[in-house]
Amino acid sequence: MSGLAIHQLNKAYGPVNALSNISLSVANGQFVCLLGPSGCGKSTLLRIIAGLEATTSGKVLLDGKDITEVPAHLRDFGMVFQSLALFPHLTVGENIAYPLRIRGASKEVQDREVQRLLDLVHLPGVADRAITQLSGGQRQRIAIARALALKPKLFLLDEPMSALDAKLREAMQVEVKRLQQELGITTFLVTHDQREAMTTADLVVVMSGGVIQQIAPPVEIYRSPANAFVADFIGVANLIEGDAKVGGRVVVPGGQVLIDGVAAGGKVNFSARPEDLTLQSAAGDSTVAGTVAFIRHLGSSLEVNVAVPGLAKDLIVVMSPREHLPFDLGDTVHVHVPGSACVVLR
Ligand code: ADP
C-alpha cells in the first residue's frame, strides 16, 4: 500500500505503557490529527513515526517498506516542534537553508529554495532579517518553511501552534491546512485541541491512555463517536444511561427516550449533542423533565443547562440566539431528546 502504515506498535518506558497495540493506515496526501488529552501518547507516536524514538515492538511502513529501524536523519521527514527550534544566531534565510546546506546544496540552490519557501509561507523578502525581528506567527511560518525545504515525504507537526494566542492560532490552522492541500503532502499534527483537529484533519485519531479510541473523519467522530470517551472529548455531549424496554423505549431519569433498534433488557448508555435537543413546556414521547439551572447568552448561541434529578450532570441544550426562550431559571421544562440524535455507546 502507498502511504504510512503502523502495525501493532507498542512503546513502554519502564513500567509505563505509553502506546499499546497501535495500528493505523494512512493514504498519501492525508492530513491526520493525533488528538487526545495530555499524556495519552500522541507525541510518542509522532516521534516514533519521525524515527526519534525506538519502538518496543511493532512496525512502521512507508509505501510498503519497513522503516522501523531507519534513523531519523535518513527518513527525510519535515518536522516542526512546539519550541520551533529555530537557530537564533542565524538569519531567516540561513535557518530555512540549513537542511539544504548540511546536505551540500550549492549557494544558488539554497537561495532559490529560500525564495520559493518564503513565497510559499507568504513571507517574501524577509530572508536577511534576524529571527528575533519576527513575530510569533512569522517564526511559525519560518519553522514550517525550513521543515519543507527537503520536500519531505511526511510533514510532522508536534503542537507547533499551541504557544500562539487564540486568534492567530486559528489563522495559522487555516494556513497550514491550505499549504498542505496545495502541496498534497501527508501530514501528522499532534494536538490536544479538538477545534484544531476539526479545522485541519481529513482523519482524526483519537487517543486515550496510549490506546486508539477511534479513527475517522472529523464529522464522523462528532456525529458517531465510538464510545463515551470520544463523545465527551469532542465537543459537548449529553451522556445518559437508561434501562432498555421493548419497542426501543429507554427509561431514563426524568422520562424516557425512544431509540430505534435498541434491544430490550439491560442498561443502555447513549450520547446526544446539545444542538439536537429542544425545550418544550409539556412532556412528550421522548422527553426528560428537569429544571432550568443556568442560561448562557453566548452571542452566537443560547445555551441552557437543565438539571435532571438522577443525572450526574445537567443536560445542555443549545439554541439559536434568535429563538425566544419562554423559560426562566427554576422553571420546570421538558427536554425533547429525539431518538435519531442519540448515539448508543459501547
Ligand atoms: P502526549 O503527547 O499525549 O502528551 P506523550 O507521548 O508525551 O503524551 O507521553 C505518553 C506517556 O509516556 C506519558 O505517561 C509520559 O509520561 C510517558 N513518557 C513520554 N516520554 C517519556 C520518556 N522519555 N521517559 C519516560 N516516560 C515518558
Side-chain angles (χ1 to χ4, degrees):
M1 195 207 96
S2 78
L4 186 92
I6 292 168
H7 282 312
Q8 294 171 348
L9 184 103
N10 292 282
K11 174 68 180 179
Y13 292 108
V16 177
N17 282 329
L19 295 172
S20 301
N21 200 24
I22 301 287
S23 289
L24 175 67
S25 176
V26 174
N28 282 331
Q30 297 260 86
F31 196 124
V32 184
C33 276
L34 305 178
L35 174 68
S38 180
C40 74
K42 311 177 290 290
S43 292
T44 302
L45 180 54
L46 193 80
R47 292 171 62 79
I48 287 175
I49 294 170
L52 296 169
E53 200 79 65
T55 63
T56 302
S57 65
K59 280 197 170 87
V60 182
L61 305 169
L62 184 67
D63 295 337
K65 205 173 116 244
D66 189 345
I67 59 163
T68 317
E69 306 295 330
V70 175
H73 69 279
L74 296 180
R75 291 191 191 191
D76 283 347
F77 296 164
M79 189 148 179
V80 182
F81 299 92
Q82 187 174 350
S83 67
L84 302 185
L86 292 169
F87 306 117
H89 57 288
L90 300 183
T91 65
V92 167
E94 287 165 346
N95 264 279
I96 296 174
Y98 183 79
L100 298 162
R101 185 160 67 81
I102 57 170
R103 274 173 175 71
S106 68
K107 187 79 178 74
E108 290 71 45
V109 170
Q110 288 181 39
D111 288 346
R112 199 182 62 224
E113 282 302 289
V114 168
Q115 297 312 324
R116 181 182 72 83
L117 290 158
L118 283 175
D119 284 344
L120 194 66
V121 296
H122 308 299
L123 277 180
V126 301
D128 295 329
R129 290 222 204 136
I131 288 294
T132 47
Q133 290 173 292
L134 301 182
S135 70
Q138 290 172 326
R139 286 179 205 199
Q140 185 94 51
R141 292 189 214 163
I142 299 309
I144 290 170
R146 185 181 61 182
L148 294 172
L150 294 172
K151 302 199 174 81
K153 187 108 188 127
L154 282 191
F155 187 32
L156 307 175
L157 304 156
D158 193 351
E159 307 226 32
M161 294 175 262
S162 58
L164 303 176
D165 67 65
K167 273 235 161 81
L168 186 54
R169 189 162 69 231
E170 300 230 335
M172 281 307 296
Q173 289 162 3
V174 173
E175 206 163 306
V176 166
K177 175 67 179 180
R178 285 201 180 134
L179 184 62
Q180 184 269 342
Q181 285 176 325
E182 192 180 321
L183 299 175
I185 185 171
T186 312
T187 300
F188 284 79
L189 169 68
V190 163
T191 182
H192 60 271
D193 176 354
Q194 45 118 354
R195 208 176 140 85
E196 183 164 301
M198 300 301 266
T199 304
T200 55
D202 298 310
L203 209 55
V204 182
V205 179
V206 185
M207 298 174 65
S208 161
V211 175
I212 292 179
Q213 302 293 325
Q214 188 170 8
I215 305 176
V219 175
E220 194 179 325
I221 295 269
Y222 186 80
R223 295 306 330 172
S224 312
N227 56 39
F229 175 83
V230 178
D232 205 27
F233 191 73
I234 312 292
V236 177
N238 293 296
L239 298 173
I240 308 173
E241 187 185 70
D243 294 299
K245 309 292 183 190
V246 287
R249 209 160 64 80
V250 180
V251 176
V252 301
Q256 64 170 26
V257 178
L258 301 177
I259 308 175
D260 269 354
V262 171
K267 297 275 180 204
V268 184
N269 284 285
F270 60 95
S271 124
R273 296 296 182 188
E275 64 273 22
D276 293 329
L277 309 186
T278 49
L279 297 177
Q280 52 194 55
S281 50
D285 279 348
S286 193
T287 59
V288 176
T291 51
V292 176
F294 200 81
I295 300 170
R296 275 192 195 87
H297 292 279
L298 292 170
S300 62
S301 64
L302 177 60
E303 215 175 272
V304 181
N305 283 37
V306 177
V308 177
L311 282 187
K313 281 191 187 169
D314 292 350
L315 292 182
I316 296 179
V317 182
V318 169
M319 305 159 51
S320 155
R322 289 179 186 79
E323 279 177 77
H324 171 64
L325 184 68
F327 303 106
D328 243 321
L329 280 180
D331 284 355
T332 296
V333 287
H334 298 269
V335 181
H336 179 229
V337 184
S340 58
C342 298
V343 178
V344 175
L345 303 168
R346 274 190 273 119

